Amino acid sequence: MNNESFLSKYGLSIEHGGVKVGETYPIYGMITNIINDQPGEVLVEINFTIKAYLNLTTTEKVELIKRRSFDPAIFVSTVIDLD
């Protein structure tokens, strides 16, 4: 079954769109770089292109993120800037 017939069969469609500042989206990927690892100021790179601030306030949680870098995950993220 090709993609078009699959979509038609189940009444699905694919739409393309951009993200908006202030909206929340899931991002599938992995942490590919830790830019700042100070608790309360954690800044990481996701999928080599997206910079994300993480709400991590303890050293233990920062260390966990370091150990789990490059593990696939879903990041629930709120867009704060498009630059």
Side-chain angles (χ1 to χ4, degrees), residues 9-82:
K9 178 179 178 180
Y10 293 101
L12 302 172
S13 64
I14 298 173
E15 295 182 26
H16 298 278
V19 298
K20 296 179 184 175
V21 172
E23 296 293 319
T24 301
Y25 303 93
I27 299 173
Y28 177 76
M30 64 183 84
I31 295 173
T32 52
N33 187 17
I34 297 175
I35 299 166
N36 185 356
D37 65 355
Q38 297 300 308
E41 301 177 21
V42 179
L43 178 62
V44 299
E45 181 182 77
I46 299 173
N47 297 341
F48 299 102
T49 58
I50 301 167
K51 290 188 175 75
Y53 291 100
L54 302 181
N55 187 20
L56 304 175
T57 57
T58 66
T59 302
E60 293 79 20
K61 294 209 179 202
V62 173
E63 291 303 316
L64 176 63
I65 287 297
K66 287 179 177 180
R67 288 192 306 273
R68 305 277 314 264
S69 291
F70 292 101
D71 285 355
I74 296 175
F75 301 88
V76 178
S77 310
T78 300
V79 178
I80 59 172
D81 191 359
L82 295 176

